[in-house]
Amino acid sequence: MSRIYQASITIFLLAAACTSSVDGNGLEIQPLDDSGGQSGLDYAWSRPSSPQALANAGYTFVARYLSYDTTGKNLSASEAQGLIAAGVDIVANWEWAADDALDGYNTGVSDAQQAQALATQCGMPSDRPIYFSVDFDASPDQQAAINDYFDGVASVLGVARTGAYGGYYVIQRLFDAGKIQWGWQTYAWSGGQWDSRAQLRQIQNGVTIAGADGDIDQSEAADFGQWGATAPTTTSAEASQAFVSPDEQHYFFIDSTGTLQHSWWDGNANALQHDQWGNGVAGNPVSLLAGPDQHVFARSTTGDLQHWFWDPNAGLQFNQWGSGLADDPAAMLVGGFQDVWATDAAGNLQHWFWGPNSNGVQHDTWGSGVTGRPSVLLYHGQQHVFARGTGGTLEHYWWDPNAGIQHDTWGSGLASDPVAEPIGDFQDVWAIDGSGNLQQFFWGPSTNGIQQMMWGSGVTGRPTVLLAGAQQHVFARGTSGTLEHFYWDPNTGITHDTWGSGIAADPTALLINSQEHVWAEDSSGVTQHWYWDPSTNMITHDNWGQ
């Protein structure tokens, strides 16, 4: 069985730990634990004196509201921009009436539609969850109506993006029923109990922080639905050969001997580090960060799906997920699950996934008639996979929670494997055609069907893409081994320049702290690295080693 995830919309600002033992309502305050979680603040009409004041006090995210209100309760686009500019992440929460969840399915649909529209206007990425409030002490006999409400929410957002705010018992029942993938639990109506599946906890009401009246919250997971400058990146974009963890940039590649090599930049030591993770593999690996664990998937020389991960407590671990691969895998972290797709020798699109409650690695088949390495994106809670058809078509598969796996064809003429990215309310796919042209295919609710645009020429292989603000950046290997860079500027259109030369492999790109980073191997198998810093407007190049 495939999975789909849902989320919800509330926007959080985390605050410092509290020291009192009882709040203004006489409820016991739950202290912050020592798990390393972040602290923040949720607030409504009141506002902090400035986002920077919150950041300076150590607050790393806010929970903010979306609703039908027109008197100032809601998050605005300008407020979101100011918070993110100050380094404060945002979590979105929908709340109108405290007991709207008792109104059932149709209300869940309309609330989710409005929440999605408002969140998009504020700049929330299309893969982030929204939390929907059950802001009262719900009884067990009210749960059926509440479940119906969240079914309505999920019909709009997908379960992967559906979340709930409430006390212990309602959060527990929603998780147990599979109605939510995200939980924000308040200490109220909880009797001192906490559901370990909830990514957020509200631990104190009625505080004033930097001039804002609100409530203190604490994160219990690395990904708690936040968006902004430091939000997780692998929940929306597919995994690549590179990822970033605090103060470290990691890059994996497979050398000519079939060894999985790992290079990383240690910001604390200000030095490049290197080790080897395994051998007997081919092609290009994919890597992702799941909590503190670093995961790498690669195709063995005999077509097995190999999995390595670094556990900070146990060191390097290894297992095998499947077999029959004919090309490199694509991977994504979605709602706590690790998902991997690859094509087999018979041209079938195969899917493996694992999560904390999946009872081992699971597998299913999504389609047939494809070749090469697929690409995946998350759009409105649905997993979308793009692959090159055996006849050069652009094939598209997606999981609909109501209808199962769906399929259509977007275009033709592909000579390379595609790369896909969700951009606002659009799905965008790039590939190189048989004449060496960089083609873009895109679809959104307002596009009147699938659209196509040519970005440039003289390129080969599989491109790579990153987003920097409103700009889309695509890097590809030139036919003469140059590193070609194309980007979309809203004011001037498609722009092109060349970053370097001498590459013999397809590039990998990643946005790190507003810097654009690109890696590629040269003809000697040495990893070359380029990056552009907006503060200096300069491209810098260094050698990361073999």
mmCIF file of all heavy atoms in Angstrom, residues 251 253 260-264 272-276 544-546:
data_model
loop_
_atom_site.group_PDB
_atom_site.id
_atom_site.type_symbol
_atom_site.label_atom_id
_atom_site.label_comp_id
_atom_site.label_asym_id
_atom_site.label_seq_id
_atom_site.Cartn_x
_atom_site.Cartn_y
_atom_site.Cartn_z
ATOM 1 N N TYR A 251 28.172 15.765 0.927
ATOM 2 C CA TYR A 251 28.058 15.377 -0.481
ATOM 3 C C TYR A 251 28.535 13.934 -0.635
ATOM 4 O O TYR A 251 29.598 13.561 -0.115
ATOM 5 C CB TYR A 251 28.899 16.301 -1.367
ATOM 6 C CG TYR A 251 28.871 15.943 -2.827
ATOM 7 C CD1 TYR A 251 27.767 16.247 -3.612
ATOM 8 C CD2 TYR A 251 29.953 15.293 -3.427
ATOM 9 C CE1 TYR A 251 27.727 15.913 -4.951
ATOM 10 C CE2 TYR A 251 29.920 14.961 -4.771
ATOM 11 C CZ TYR A 251 28.800 15.276 -5.525
ATOM 12 O OH TYR A 251 28.762 14.939 -6.853
ATOM 13 N N PHE A 253 29.190 10.598 -3.432
ATOM 14 C CA PHE A 253 29.309 10.184 -4.824
ATOM 15 C C PHE A 253 29.941 8.804 -4.878
ATOM 16 O O PHE A 253 30.541 8.319 -3.899
ATOM 17 C CB PHE A 253 30.116 11.191 -5.648
ATOM 18 C CG PHE A 253 31.593 11.201 -5.361
ATOM 19 C CD1 PHE A 253 32.487 10.522 -6.180
ATOM 20 C CD2 PHE A 253 32.100 11.914 -4.284
ATOM 21 C CE1 PHE A 253 33.853 10.535 -5.927
ATOM 22 C CE2 PHE A 253 33.458 11.932 -4.017
ATOM 23 C CZ PHE A 253 34.337 11.238 -4.838
ATOM 24 N N LEU A 260 31.275 4.048 -2.285
ATOM 25 C CA LEU A 260 30.457 5.189 -1.879
ATOM 26 C C LEU A 260 31.312 6.130 -1.042
ATOM 27 O O LEU A 260 31.681 5.816 0.091
ATOM 28 C CB LEU A 260 29.245 4.710 -1.083
ATOM 29 C CG LEU A 260 28.307 5.791 -0.536
ATOM 30 C CD1 LEU A 260 27.731 6.641 -1.655
ATOM 31 C CD2 LEU A 260 27.190 5.167 0.295
ATOM 32 N N GLN A 261 31.645 7.286 -1.622
ATOM 33 C CA GLN A 261 32.506 8.270 -0.980
ATOM 34 C C GLN A 261 31.663 9.380 -0.349
ATOM 35 O O GLN A 261 30.610 9.754 -0.884
ATOM 36 C CB GLN A 261 33.466 8.887 -2.000
ATOM 37 C CG GLN A 261 34.322 7.878 -2.755
ATOM 38 C CD GLN A 261 35.499 7.370 -1.937
ATOM 39 O OE1 GLN A 261 35.706 7.795 -0.799
ATOM 40 N NE2 GLN A 261 36.265 6.454 -2.514
ATOM 41 N N HIS A 262 32.135 9.912 0.763
ATOM 42 C CA HIS A 262 31.420 10.938 1.517
ATOM 43 C C HIS A 262 32.391 12.062 1.873
ATOM 44 O O HIS A 262 33.401 11.831 2.525
ATOM 45 C CB HIS A 262 30.841 10.311 2.793
ATOM 46 C CG HIS A 262 30.264 11.287 3.763
ATOM 47 N ND1 HIS A 262 30.433 11.166 5.136
ATOM 48 C CD2 HIS A 262 29.502 12.390 3.578
ATOM 49 C CE1 HIS A 262 29.791 12.142 5.735
ATOM 50 N NE2 HIS A 262 29.221 12.910 4.821
ATOM 51 N N SER A 263 32.083 13.262 1.385
ATOM 52 C CA SER A 263 32.865 14.443 1.743
ATOM 53 C C SER A 263 31.942 15.436 2.430
ATOM 54 O O SER A 263 30.775 15.576 2.034
ATOM 55 C CB SER A 263 33.490 15.084 0.500
ATOM 56 O OG SER A 263 34.385 14.194 -0.141
ATOM 57 N N TRP A 264 32.442 16.106 3.441
ATOM 58 C CA TRP A 264 31.613 17.115 4.082
ATOM 59 C C TRP A 264 32.468 18.244 4.624
ATOM 60 O O TRP A 264 33.617 18.055 4.976
ATOM 61 C CB TRP A 264 30.749 16.495 5.183
ATOM 62 C CG TRP A 264 31.409 16.120 6.468
ATOM 63 C CD1 TRP A 264 31.449 16.842 7.626
ATOM 64 C CD2 TRP A 264 32.122 14.903 6.752
ATOM 65 N NE1 TRP A 264 32.125 16.165 8.605
ATOM 66 C CE2 TRP A 264 32.538 14.960 8.109
ATOM 67 C CE3 TRP A 264 32.446 13.768 6.003
ATOM 68 C CZ2 TRP A 264 33.273 13.939 8.714
ATOM 69 C CZ3 TRP A 264 33.169 12.746 6.607
ATOM 70 C CH2 TRP A 264 33.567 12.836 7.938
ATOM 71 N N LEU A 272 37.500 20.593 5.400
ATOM 72 C CA LEU A 272 36.846 19.560 4.617
ATOM 73 C C LEU A 272 37.207 18.191 5.186
ATOM 74 O O LEU A 272 38.378 17.897 5.437
ATOM 75 C CB LEU A 272 37.286 19.658 3.152
ATOM 76 C CG LEU A 272 36.579 18.755 2.156
ATOM 77 C CD1 LEU A 272 35.118 19.151 2.015
ATOM 78 C CD2 LEU A 272 37.274 18.803 0.802
ATOM 79 N N GLN A 273 36.186 17.340 5.400
ATOM 80 C CA GLN A 273 36.382 16.011 5.942
ATOM 81 C C GLN A 273 35.954 14.966 4.900
ATOM 82 O O GLN A 273 35.202 15.262 3.975
ATOM 83 C CB GLN A 273 35.550 15.818 7.217
ATOM 84 C CG GLN A 273 35.688 16.935 8.234
ATOM 85 C CD GLN A 273 37.022 16.904 8.949
ATOM 86 O OE1 GLN A 273 37.737 15.917 8.912
ATOM 87 N NE2 GLN A 273 37.364 18.001 9.603
ATOM 88 N N HIS A 274 36.424 13.723 5.089
ATOM 89 C CA HIS A 274 36.103 12.691 4.106
ATOM 90 C C HIS A 274 36.143 11.301 4.737
ATOM 91 O O HIS A 274 36.971 11.029 5.602
ATOM 92 C CB HIS A 274 37.093 12.748 2.934
ATOM 93 C CG HIS A 274 36.879 11.665 1.926
ATOM 94 N ND1 HIS A 274 37.612 10.499 1.918
ATOM 95 C CD2 HIS A 274 35.990 11.570 0.913
ATOM 96 C CE1 HIS A 274 37.191 9.738 0.930
ATOM 97 N NE2 HIS A 274 36.211 10.351 0.308
ATOM 98 N N ASP A 275 35.209 10.424 4.317
ATOM 99 C CA ASP A 275 35.285 9.015 4.660
ATOM 100 C C ASP A 275 34.570 8.194 3.589
ATOM 101 O O ASP A 275 34.028 8.751 2.627
ATOM 102 C CB ASP A 275 34.732 8.727 6.069
ATOM 103 C CG ASP A 275 33.271 9.124 6.241
ATOM 104 O OD1 ASP A 275 32.598 9.449 5.239
ATOM 105 O OD2 ASP A 275 32.780 9.095 7.384
ATOM 106 N N GLN A 276 34.564 6.873 3.748
ATOM 107 C CA GLN A 276 33.918 5.965 2.814
ATOM 108 C C GLN A 276 32.830 5.195 3.553
ATOM 109 O O GLN A 276 33.032 4.732 4.666
ATOM 110 C CB GLN A 276 34.936 4.989 2.217
ATOM 111 C CG GLN A 276 36.024 5.656 1.399
ATOM 112 C CD GLN A 276 37.034 4.662 0.856
ATOM 113 O OE1 GLN A 276 36.984 3.468 1.146
ATOM 114 N NE2 GLN A 276 37.979 5.155 0.065
ATOM 115 N N TRP A 544 36.882 19.529 -3.799
ATOM 116 C CA TRP A 544 36.495 18.776 -2.616
ATOM 117 C C TRP A 544 37.194 17.414 -2.534
ATOM 118 O O TRP A 544 36.974 16.669 -1.592
ATOM 119 C CB TRP A 544 34.976 18.587 -2.587
ATOM 120 C CG TRP A 544 34.281 19.714 -1.900
ATOM 121 C CD1 TRP A 544 34.561 21.033 -2.026
ATOM 122 C CD2 TRP A 544 33.200 19.609 -0.970
ATOM 123 N NE1 TRP A 544 33.721 21.782 -1.248
ATOM 124 C CE2 TRP A 544 32.861 20.924 -0.581
ATOM 125 C CE3 TRP A 544 32.485 18.553 -0.433
ATOM 126 C CZ2 TRP A 544 31.839 21.192 0.321
ATOM 127 C CZ3 TRP A 544 31.464 18.825 0.460
ATOM 128 C CH2 TRP A 544 31.151 20.130 0.831
ATOM 129 N N GLY A 545 37.993 17.073 -3.503
ATOM 130 C CA GLY A 545 38.773 15.850 -3.423
ATOM 131 C C GLY A 545 38.139 14.681 -4.138
ATOM 132 O O GLY A 545 37.033 14.749 -4.648
ATOM 133 N N GLN A 546 38.879 13.583 -4.193
ATOM 134 C CA GLN A 546 38.457 12.400 -4.931
ATOM 135 C C GLN A 546 37.887 11.345 -3.994
ATOM 136 O O GLN A 546 38.406 11.151 -2.903
ATOM 137 C CB GLN A 546 39.653 11.809 -5.675
ATOM 138 C CG GLN A 546 39.270 10.720 -6.649
ATOM 139 C CD GLN A 546 40.420 10.419 -7.594
ATOM 140 O OE1 GLN A 546 41.543 10.836 -7.377
ATOM 141 N NE2 GLN A 546 40.130 9.686 -8.667
#
